[in-house]
């Protein structure tokens, strides 16, 4: 697996510049690309979320705003320009900072959260060779970077000088830190089986054997634990207690408005995409087509559905389905309480994860000796 | 432990039920979406099975409307209104005058004219109480079963709050003068001037250009229709009785004198004296009570000439 | 009298949190002064009066007919009930014993529809309070159909001024009965949907069962009435116990909280009683709708309401509980004194008793399960 950054540097080599200068130059292109991906993702995801919500609630959602006069579907999928209009509205809104707020920290907080999401994208593969930088510790890097955001959340809650924000920040910190553990443990299970932290290697393992979700009953359970935990880590319903709008008004975002609030939104939807891509790469075969689900000896010539471009399609299909499921959760379930959230993490997920880890090790040992 | 496992199983089951249900709604959006795309689709649309035919209603609580030609000025609706948003002025023709107030569509002879009938729809609470007592059925809420009388108007939006004050009266200034109530006009003009003065103080720009169309449209909002300056001076003074009523006595400053004068006025009225004779009677009465001074006498005499 | 900052109840570790009057889930302009220790709430003080409109004093300056629309405006989610309650009290004051039976049937039918629509709001908003948004829109969708029916009858969608002392403002429109039966056929399966989506959801049960338990004696001591009292296992319903109008003719049950998911009298019970009451209302409607007698609905309408000197107190079971009107007449066409006992006011007073010691989220849950309407509390 080659990374996009290496490819760009090779491409720019004709200029004859020094390698270190080339890296600095080349890094800007993927950075811009990541930013574009985040913006486009947020735009589309907000629209889809509103539509999904509307249809599940027997409503229509946005129907009126169009792009250059084109409103989209006439009966259901209209209003395609709504998010763009909303984004423009957010950017032109007054930037309100409360009197007694810590102004510097309040300004800093959204950017820390944004940087957390932004840096995570570096190691997220969109297809076989479509990754900014192919770390050999990819999973580890993603877990590490995705928890940077919590610092921003605590800063946002504290600096707003608002009791609701403080409650939201404290809840968020407790929740995110707790749910890192089941996420880490489930991914560790994959790493144990595949024997590598590199996402490319993990997908290659799945190509050689079978998708992780059906590898063994324990990986099957692990997938669901991972998915529910990441729903909690991205603060989505039923785990949206940090921003519980019926209790804490808007949680740690209460005092934010306009552009800064837009950045929170951007990061939230970027995080949703990241965790969904990771789930699809690690558990659902990544860029492998569904033909390779079991690896039951389909001849190589049949594998026409694989390839770099179709690979991107498969990754996004799986990831977007998971994003849809997250939305589906949100419009179906009530919200948990703080202590119940902790109960779920510490008394259900972590014991299951540990048991899983143990049994998977045994399973590997046995299947390794028996089915060799 | 079994409770722990049962809890998890029950939880997963209930989650699946719930998610199935929302997915069902997501997929059957064609049948289940209940939204009406308001400005494009309007409400009574029987084929959507939401809402009914307008004729199936008892009443639709929409804007109040008055068929002013039928109004006999009985003030029943004004009295019934709990929020006092209906304001009616009436003028009776003087005894012996041959002024014809007209007939209603129920063939009731009208006894007075209605120079003012305003409904402030921003105060109205749509309680329907004014509609029921009306003997001529001339005040009603538009739309629904009243559709033949007046079409529905549930989106009567205005740019200004004043615009929600609807004026229904159609009595022209000439009518009012004919019936012999110039001081009503004067009062109204003075009020209007006061209002314009106040608005000038506040810096509100007065809309002059809508004056011309003011009386042609029966339901023009009052704000846009300041009372057209009536040519009072040019009015045929001789043709009408002298402009003198009980309020004209208010110029007397001393309370006891004013009281005596008013008593005398009522006495004169009972004695069916009119005009100059009435004023003479009042002067005589005041003189009897030795409360008459020259100022009062002169002013009272001045009324005989038709001036105030 | 209360102090903004009462030093005696704020220890070193406690924080005063001001919830409302602008808060998404205080059901209007209620303000809660919450003393918290972390997430745990140690004391709650509801502060009311942000929607005070001098209803009782205002009534002393209005004629009896004119009070009716203002009575509607007290409980704006169950305006038909308030109109009915007021009409019954004035009829009692006037000594009107018997009304045409068509009037009574129409009143009961509309009151039961109103009960369903009010409970639909209560159920949906309770779901919203615990974080589920979809049930709210579904219940609102169905309430909209009831409101369509009401509009057909009265012309208004929220505040009807339809039930007048001594009669009704209009007769039923001819197609009403069929439309109402159609609605009932449509609505009955919907209750199952709400149950599947919300009532039996594990998270919902976790959030509401065993939370804010109100034992029977506490409920009685605080004067709690309506579904909240019945949720505590006390089968007290004025429709059964002191039948007014023609409720004695119909066969229906009074559902009570049984502690199916936790303790008797918890938030889940208070919620579920409302679901069951909707089913009972449907039962009443199914009996009443086919047998509406003929008659003139305005035949008993008094020409002028000018009661003799005297005073009365009458009770009525609204969707929120026992509303009472005390009216003293001085022989004029306006009452000398009118006092309203508002059920939600008494129900709110129990909030501190049953939700202190729980978490902030639970305060919201308990408040939602009490189903208050601020228009009626502050009136």
């Amino acid at each position: 697996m080659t990374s996009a950054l290496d490819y760009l540097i090779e491409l720019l080599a004709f200029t004859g510049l020094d390698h270190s200068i080339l890296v600095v130059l080349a890094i800007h292109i993927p950075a811009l690309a990541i930013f574009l991906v985040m913006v486009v993702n947020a735009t589309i995801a907000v629209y889809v979320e509103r539509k999904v919500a509307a249809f599940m609630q027997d409503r229509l959602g946005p129907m009126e705003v169009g792009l250059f006069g084109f409103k989209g579907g006439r009966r259901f999928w209209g209003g395609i320009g709504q998010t763009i209009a909303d984004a423009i509205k957010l950017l032109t809104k007054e930037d309100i900072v409360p009197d007694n707020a810590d102004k510097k920290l309040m300004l800093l907080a959204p950017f820390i959260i944004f940087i957390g999401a932004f840096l995570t994208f570096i190691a997220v593969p969109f297809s076989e060779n479509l990754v900014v930088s192919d770390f050999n510790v990819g999973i580890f890097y993603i877990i590490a970077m995705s928890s940077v955001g919590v610092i921003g959340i605590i800063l946002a809650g504290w600096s707003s000088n608002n009791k609701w924000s403080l409650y939201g920040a404290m809840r968020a910190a407790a929740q995110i830190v707790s749910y890192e553990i089941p996420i880490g443990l489930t991914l560790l299970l994959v790493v144990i089986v595949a024997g590598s932290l590199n996402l490319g290697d993990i997908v290659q393992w799945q190509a050689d054997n079978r998708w992780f979700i059906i590898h063994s009953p324990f990986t099957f359970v692990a997938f669901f634990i991972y998915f529910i935990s990441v729903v909690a880590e991205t603060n989505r319903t039923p785990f949206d207690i940090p921003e519980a709008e019926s209790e804490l008004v808007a949680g740690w975002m209460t005092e934010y408005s306009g552009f800064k609030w837009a950045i929170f939104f951007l990061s939230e939807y970027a995080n949703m995409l990241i965790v969904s891509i990771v789930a699809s790469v690690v558990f659902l075969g990544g860029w492998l087509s569904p033909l390779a689900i079991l690896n039951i000896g389909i001849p190589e010539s049949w594998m026409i559905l694989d390839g770099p471009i179709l690979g991107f399609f498969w990754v996004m299909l799986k990831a977007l389905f998971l994003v849809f499921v997250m939305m589906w959760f949100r419009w179906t379930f009530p919200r948990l309480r703080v202590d119940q959230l902790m109960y779920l993490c510490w008394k259900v997920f972590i014991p299951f994860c540990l048991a899983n880890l143990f049994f998977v090790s045994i399973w590997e040992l046995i299947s390794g000796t028996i089915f060799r | 432990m079994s409770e722990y496992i049962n809890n998890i199983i029950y939880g997963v089951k209930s989650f699946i039920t719930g998610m199935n249900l929302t997915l069902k709604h997501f997929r059957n959006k064609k049948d289940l979406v209940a939204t009406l795309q308001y400005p494009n689709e309007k409400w009574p649309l029987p084929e959507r099975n939401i809402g009914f035919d307008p004729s199936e209603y008892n009443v639709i609580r929409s804007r109040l409307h008055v068929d002013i030609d039928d109004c006999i000025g009985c003030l029943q609706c004004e009295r019934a209104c709990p929020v006092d948003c209906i304001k009616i002025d009436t003028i009776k023709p003087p005894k012996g005058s041959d002024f014809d107030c007209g007939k209603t569509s129920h063939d009731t002879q009208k006894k007075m004219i209605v120079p003012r009938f305003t409904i402030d729809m921003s105060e109205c609470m749509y309680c329907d109480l004014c509609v029921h007592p009306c003997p001529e059925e001339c005040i009603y809420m538009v739309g629904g079963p009243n559709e033949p009388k007046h079409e529905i108007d549930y989106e009567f939006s205005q740019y200004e709050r004043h615009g929600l004050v609807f004026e229904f009266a159609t009595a022209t200034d000439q009518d009012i003068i004919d019936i012999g109530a110039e001081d009503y006009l004067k009062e109204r003009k003075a009020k209007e001037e006061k209002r314009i003065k106040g608005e000038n103080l506040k810096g509100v720009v007065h809309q002059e250009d809508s004056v011309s169309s003011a009386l042609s449209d029966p339901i023009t909002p009052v704000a846009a229709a300041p009372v057209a300056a009536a040519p009072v001076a040019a009015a045929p003074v001789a043709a009408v009785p002298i402009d003198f009523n009980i309020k004209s006595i208010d110029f007397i400053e001393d309370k006891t004198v004013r009281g005596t004068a008013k008593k005398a006025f009522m006495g004169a009225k009972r004695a069916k004296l009119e005009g100059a004779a009435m004023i003479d009677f009042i002067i005589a009465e005041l003189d009897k009570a030795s409360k008459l001074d020259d100022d009062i006498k002169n002013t009272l005499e001045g009324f005989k000439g038709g001036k105030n | 009298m209360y102090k903004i900052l009462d030093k005696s109840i704020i220890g070193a570790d406690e924080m005063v949190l001001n919830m409302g009057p602008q808060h998404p889930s205080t059901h209007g302009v209620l303000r809660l002064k919450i003393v918290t220790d972390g997430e745990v709430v140690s004391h709650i003080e509801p502060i009311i009066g942000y929607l005070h409109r001098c209803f009782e004093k205002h009534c002393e300056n209005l004629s009896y007919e004119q009070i009716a629309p203002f009575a509607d405006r007290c409980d704006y989610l169950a305006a038909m009930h308030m109109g009915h309650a007021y009409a019954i009290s004035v009829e009692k004051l006037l000594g009107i014993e018997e009304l045409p039976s068509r009037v009574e049937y129409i009143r009961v039918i509309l009151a039961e529809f109103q009960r369903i629509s009010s409970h639909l709001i209560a159920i949906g908003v309770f779901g919203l309070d615990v974080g589920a948004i979809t049930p709210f829109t579904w219940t609102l969708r169905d309430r909209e159909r009831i409101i369509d029916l009401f509009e057909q009858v009265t012309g208004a969608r929220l505040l009807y001024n339809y039930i007048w002392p001594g009669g009704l403002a209009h007769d039923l429109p001819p197609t009403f009965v069929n439309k109402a039966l159609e609605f009932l056929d449509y609505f009955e399966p919907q209750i199952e949907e709400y149950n599947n989506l919300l009532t039996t959801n594990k998270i919902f049960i976790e959030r509401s069962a065993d939370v804010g338990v109100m034992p029977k004696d506490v409920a009685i001591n605080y004067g709690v009435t309506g579904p909240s009292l019945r949720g505590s296992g006390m089968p007290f319903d004025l429709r059964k116990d002191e039948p007014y109008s023609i409720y004695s003719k119909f066969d229906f049950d009074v559902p009570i909280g049984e502690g199916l998911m936790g303790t008797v009298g918890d938030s889940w019970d208070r919620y579920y009683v409302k679901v069951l009451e909707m089913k009972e209302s449907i039962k009443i409607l199914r009996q009443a709708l086919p047998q509406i007698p003929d008659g003139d609905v305005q035949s008993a309408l008094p020409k002028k309401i000018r009661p003799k000197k005297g005073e009365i107190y009458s009770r009525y079971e609204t969707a929120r509980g026992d509303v009472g009107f005390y009216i003293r007449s001085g022989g004029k066409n306006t009452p000398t004194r009118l006092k309203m006992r508002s059920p939600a006011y008494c129900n709110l007073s129990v909030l501190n008793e049953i939700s202190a010691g729980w978490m902030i989220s639970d305060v919201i849950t308990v408040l939602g399960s009490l189903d208050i309407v601020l228009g009626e509390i502050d009136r």
Side-chain angles (χ1 to χ4, degrees):
Chain A
M1 200 160 107
T2 54
S3 67
L5 193 61
D6 296 342
Y7 181 72
L8 277 169
I9 291 171
E10 261 174 46
L11 207 66
L12 290 171
F14 71 91
T15 50
L17 289 168
D18 188 54
H19 185 264
S20 54
I21 299 170
L22 274 182
V23 170
V24 174
L25 283 177
I27 202 107
H28 285 89
I29 297 166
L32 194 67
I34 290 174
F35 183 72
L36 278 179
V37 165
M38 285 174 81
V39 171
V40 169
N41 166 58
T43 316
I44 296 173
V46 170
Y47 174 75
V48 173
E49 167 122 53
R50 292 179 67 169
K51 279 294 181 189
V52 169
F55 297 149
M56 284 181 178
Q57 303 178 344
D58 296 352
R59 296 185 288 119
L60 280 174
M63 285 298 283
E64 287 302 319
V65 186
L67 286 175
F68 306 110
F70 177 66
K71 286 184 188 173
R74 190 159 297 172
R75 282 207 60 189
F76 294 113
W77 294 93
I80 53 170
Q82 185 69 51
T83 343
I84 294 165
D86 283 349
I88 293 169
K89 180 206 74 178
L90 281 176
L91 295 185
T92 51
K93 265 172 106 168
E94 186 190 351
D95 186 25
I96 299 167
V97 180
D99 252 2
N100 294 327
D102 191 332
K103 296 189 177 59
K104 280 177 199 152
L105 291 187
M106 197 172 167
L107 183 65
L108 188 63
F111 294 103
I112 291 179
I113 296 173
F114 180 77
I115 285 168
F118 189 82
L119 289 182
T120 318
F121 262 114
I122 292 177
V124 171
F126 288 93
S127 178
E128 192 165 355
N129 290 321
L130 200 62
V131 57
V132 175
S133 184
D134 187 23
F135 292 97
N136 54 0
V137 287
I139 288 187
F140 182 70
Y141 174 81
I142 287 172
I143 295 176
M145 278 301 143
S146 59
S147 38
V148 166
V150 71
I151 300 169
I153 290 177
I154 294 177
L155 274 187
W158 179 256
S159 63
S160 299
N161 196 19
N162 178 320
K163 287 170 184 173
W164 302 114
S165 303
L166 187 61
Y167 269 113
M170 291 302 135
R171 285 178 173 193
Q175 172 182 347
I176 293 175
V177 170
S178 304
Y179 275 86
E180 299 265 295
I181 300 167
I183 292 173
L185 286 175
T186 43
L187 289 178
L188 184 62
L189 178 152
V190 173
V191 171
I192 284 176
V193 178
S196 170
L197 285 166
N198 187 311
L199 287 163
D201 289 353
I202 289 171
V203 178
Q204 195 51 48
W205 187 93
Q206 296 180 64
D208 294 342
N209 297 287
R210 59 199 74 81
W211 287 12
F212 252 111
I213 186 170
I214 47 153
H215 173 57
S216 68
F218 310 109
T219 48
F220 184 75
V221 174
F223 169 73
F224 287 97
I225 291 177
Y226 172 80
F227 187 64
I228 293 168
S229 303
V230 295
V231 172
E233 209 194 332
T234 47
N235 296 337
R236 304 268 312 167
T237 315
F239 309 102
D240 64 340
I241 56 158
E243 53 201 88
E245 72 271 357
S246 61
E247 295 151 24
L248 299 187
V249 189
W252 44 272
M253 296 194 279
T254 306
E255 296 288 357
Y256 282 87
S257 66
F259 181 62
K260 287 189 269 186
W261 191 79
I263 288 180
F264 282 143
F265 235 63
L266 210 64
S267 316
E268 186 189 324
Y269 281 95
N271 274 331
M272 274 170 73
L273 186 68
I274 290 168
V275 295
S276 301
I277 290 180
V278 171
S280 69
V281 165
V282 170
F283 288 99
L284 302 176
W287 44 84
L288 304 175
S289 66
L291 282 177
I293 187 166
L294 272 173
N295 204 13
I296 42 170
I298 297 169
E300 197 68 25
S301 54
W302 285 27
M303 293 294 199
I304 42 165
L305 288 175
D306 285 314
I309 297 162
L310 277 170
F312 176 74
F313 171 74
W314 291 120
V315 169
M316 290 316 277
L317 188 75
K318 292 164 188 170
L320 292 181
F321 175 72
L322 293 179
V323 171
F324 171 75
V325 173
M326 283 185 180
M327 295 173 180
W328 188 4
F329 278 166
R330 176 166 176 189
W331 303 111
T332 308
F333 295 134
R335 183 184 307 118
L336 285 165
R337 207 169 56 204
V338 188
D339 57 330
Q340 289 161 352
L341 190 86
M342 292 297 150
Y343 177 94
L344 189 68
C345 178
W346 293 98
K347 289 195 174 170
V348 180
F349 285 171
I350 292 179
F352 267 80
C353 278
L354 290 170
N356 249 350
L357 208 59
F358 176 69
F359 285 118
V360 149
S361 312
I362 292 174
W363 179 280
E364 286 308 307
L365 210 61
I366 291 169
S367 66
T369 46
I370 293 174
F371 305 117
R372 171 69 38 93
Chain B
M1 191 69 193
S2 73
E3 199 195 331
Y4 177 86
I5 302 286
N6 279 342
N7 260 339
I8 292 175
I9 292 170
Y10 178 82
V12 171
K13 257 192 204 162
S14 74
F15 296 158
I16 291 171
T17 325
M19 287 178 68
N20 262 334
L21 203 57
T22 40
L23 188 68
K24 193 189 98 193
H25 277 252
F26 182 74
R27 293 174 47 165
N28 297 349
K29 48 185 174 283
K30 230 171 226 163
D31 304 325
L32 293 173
V33 165
T35 308
L36 205 67
Q37 288 274 288
Y38 166 58
N40 305 330
E41 307 170 79
K42 291 213 176 168
W43 177 46
L45 273 182
E47 66 270 21
R48 287 288 301 271
N49 196 21
I50 181 170
F52 315 108
D53 196 61
S55 63
E56 289 174 15
Y57 289 85
N58 274 324
V59 60
I60 289 182
R61 302 280 176 99
S62 180
R63 185 166 67 75
L64 277 172
H65 183 79
V66 181
D67 286 339
I68 195 68
D69 291 343
D70 286 358
C71 178
I72 56 168
C74 64
L75 305 187
Q76 299 238 34
C77 48
E78 191 183 9
R79 272 184 223 129
C81 182
V83 290
D84 296 341
C85 74
I86 303 175
K87 303 249 163 51
I88 308 173
D89 288 344
T90 55
I91 301 174
K92 252 189 181 169
K95 280 269 158 67
S97 141
D98 57 350
F99 186 86
D100 183 22
C101 295
K103 275 186 177 174
T104 67
S105 54
H106 287 78
D107 262 355
T108 316
Q109 176 63 44
K110 285 202 258 183
K111 298 238 170 63
M112 50 193 105
I113 61 164
V114 181
R116 178 192 186 195
F117 197 125
T118 56
I119 299 181
D120 187 348
M121 289 312 287
S122 62
E123 274 182 40
C124 176
M125 63 176 189
Y126 303 90
C127 65
D128 209 22
L129 281 178
C130 56
V131 175
H132 292 267
C134 184
E136 297 292 324
E137 296 170 6
C138 73
I139 182 167
Y140 53 85
M141 290 188 159
V142 300
N146 294 323
E147 190 85 33
K149 290 203 233 169
H150 194 288
E151 70 199 7
I152 190 157
D153 178 17
Y154 52 80
E155 29 198 18
F156 49 103
S157 43
Q158 298 284 343
Y159 286 104
E160 285 171 35
R161 208 159 136 193
H162 259 320
L164 284 168
V165 183
F166 289 88
E167 168 69 272
F168 294 97
T170 50
T172 57
D173 291 347
Q174 193 56 50
D175 287 343
I176 296 169
I177 291 162
D178 285 350
I179 208 168
E182 281 108 343
D183 50 345
Y184 176 80
L185 277 181
K186 275 176 205 151
E187 238 170 65
R188 196 159 78 170
K189 203 183 158 199
K191 246 188 212 169
E192 185 61 25
E193 271 164 5
K194 258 188 197 167
R195 192 179 70 75
I196 292 170
K197 218 166 134 193
E199 278 185 357
N200 286 342
L201 281 177
K202 277 194 298 182
V204 179
V205 182
H206 192 64
Q207 294 173 338
E208 289 291 346
D209 39 308
S210 51
V211 174
S212 55
S213 66
L215 289 168
S216 58
D217 187 356
I219 20 177
T220 313
V222 167
V227 178
V232 181
V237 175
V240 294
I242 288 168
D243 187 18
F244 182 77
N245 60 21
I246 193 152
K247 287 216 173 130
S248 315
I249 300 169
D250 286 353
F251 73 90
I252 302 171
E253 272 176 29
D254 189 58
K255 257 189 201 166
T256 52
V257 182
R258 191 164 68 224
T260 319
K262 282 191 176 173
K263 220 185 242 171
F265 178 88
M266 293 315 288
K269 225 178 174 186
R270 267 196 299 276
K272 294 185 180 171
L273 296 172
E274 275 203 29
M278 183 192 247
I279 290 170
D280 285 337
F281 181 78
I282 294 171
I283 291 171
E285 284 289 303
L286 282 175
D287 205 8
K288 234 188 264 170
S290 66
K291 277 173 185 165
L292 189 73
D293 61 39
D294 285 342
D295 274 3
I296 295 174
K297 192 176 177 188
N298 288 340
T299 322
L300 283 174
E301 295 282 355
F303 278 115
K304 283 187 194 168
K307 285 177 286 185
N308 257 8
Chain C
M1 288 290 287
Y2 67 92
K3 296 170 209 146
I4 293 295
L5 202 72
D6 192 348
K7 284 268 167 21
S8 66
I9 54 170
I10 302 173
D13 302 321
E14 289 182 330
M15 179 165 91
V16 175
L17 193 62
N18 180 40
M19 189 182 273
Q22 294 167 342
H23 187 276
S25 47
T26 49
H27 293 233
V29 282
L30 173 67
R31 180 174 155 220
L32 297 176
K33 203 174 81 180
I34 302 180
V35 184
T36 57
D37 178 7
E39 285 274 346
V40 179
V41 172
S42 55
H43 182 84
I44 307 157
E45 190 171 352
I47 295 161
I48 60 171
Y50 290 88
L51 202 57
H52 184 55
R53 309 183 295 287
C54 299
F55 167 69
E56 288 171 6
K57 187 69 192 164
H58 192 190
C59 287
E60 292 168 18
N61 297 314
L62 292 170
S63 70
Y64 285 98
E65 295 96 332
Q66 289 177 339
I67 293 172
F70 286 101
D72 276 2
R73 278 156 178 76
C74 284
D75 185 350
Y76 40 78
L77 291 180
M80 205 62 94
H81 285 162
M82 300 306 282
H84 196 180
Y86 173 71
I88 284 179
S89 63
V90 175
E91 281 152 17
K92 205 169 161 187
L93 188 65
L94 285 171
I96 299 177
E97 291 290 318
E98 192 137 341
L99 290 170
S101 61
R102 184 174 174 84
V103 172
E104 294 285 21
Y105 266 91
I106 293 173
R107 282 182 176 187
V108 165
I109 285 166
L110 293 179
E112 289 312 307
F113 269 123
Q114 182 73 83
R115 199 177 305 280
I116 294 176
S117 95
S118 175
H119 282 348
L120 279 175
I121 287 271
I123 288 167
V125 171
F126 187 51
L128 205 60
D129 284 342
V130 298
I133 301 165
T134 305
F136 175 65
T137 56
W138 289 5
T139 54
L140 268 180
R141 172 200 64 197
D142 294 338
R143 174 178 176 263
E144 203 70 5
R145 295 192 178 227
I146 297 179
I147 288 178
D148 284 345
L149 285 174
F150 281 160
E151 185 174 14
Q152 202 191 357
V153 179
T154 70
R157 293 175 72 79
L158 192 66
L159 303 161
Y160 310 107
N161 185 24
Y162 178 70
I163 298 177
W164 287 356
L168 303 169
H170 304 275
D171 203 350
L172 283 185
T175 52
F176 176 82
V177 175
N178 285 336
K179 292 263 154 70
L181 287 170
E182 242 172 59
F183 168 77
L184 292 183
D185 292 341
Y186 157 82
F187 181 64
E188 261 169 318
Q190 301 296 326
I191 297 179
E192 283 316 302
E193 256 191 18
Y194 306 146
N195 282 344
N196 282 337
L197 183 67
L198 192 63
T199 315
T200 57
N201 187 294
K202 183 71 186 159
I203 298 177
F204 179 76
I205 291 168
E206 287 292 323
R207 281 298 305 278
S208 59
D210 284 332
V211 170
V213 178
M214 176 159 63
K216 209 191 274 186
D217 53 335
V218 171
I220 293 169
N221 285 347
Y222 275 85
V224 173
T225 46
S228 304
L229 174 64
R230 295 194 279 277
S232 298
M234 173 84 189
F236 174 75
D237 189 329
L238 287 176
R239 290 176 292 169
K240 264 276 195 266
D241 296 333
E242 283 179 31
Y244 51 86
S245 200
I246 48 163
Y247 275 107
S248 48
K249 284 189 191 174
F250 301 116
D251 167 39
F252 65 99
D253 302 324
V254 178
I256 54 167
E258 286 159 352
L260 283 179
M261 295 294 168
T263 327
V264 177
D266 55 13
S267 300
W268 193 87
D269 272 352
R270 285 196 287 278
Y271 161 86
Y272 196 55
V273 160
K274 289 179 196 122
V275 177
L276 293 178
E277 269 186 24
M278 292 202 300
K279 290 185 180 170
E280 296 303 321
S281 290
I282 292 174
K283 230 190 210 170
I284 295 175
L285 285 168
R286 286 228 184 266
Q287 294 167 46
L289 275 169
Q291 42 170 315
I292 305 178
D294 286 333
D296 180 12
V297 294
Q298 298 198 327
S299 60
L301 212 58
K303 264 239 141 46
K304 224 176 196 159
I305 304 184
R306 195 182 276 274
K308 287 185 210 110
K309 271 192 185 178
E311 54 182 18
I312 54 102
Y313 182 77
S314 82
R315 306 167 81 182
Y316 184 91
E317 181 78 24
T318 71
R320 259 153 276 282
D322 174 1
V323 67
F325 274 102
Y326 166 79
I327 304 178
R328 194 197 305 147
S329 161
K332 282 191 275 179
N333 68 339
T334 58
T336 18
R337 177 82 174 96
L338 188 146
K339 164 92 179 82
M340 189 182 125
R341 180 221 189 260
S342 104
Y345 178 79
C346 299
N347 292 1
L348 179 65
S349 66
V350 81
L351 181 66
N352 181 36
E353 176 80 24
I354 60 175
S355 61
W358 290 91
M359 293 190 176
I360 293 175
S361 319
D362 297 323
V363 175
I364 299 291
T365 312
V366 172
L367 192 66
S369 73
L370 287 175
D371 184 25
I372 55 167
V373 164
L374 263 294
E376 183 194 40
I377 292 174
D378 291 343
R379 60 188 181 279

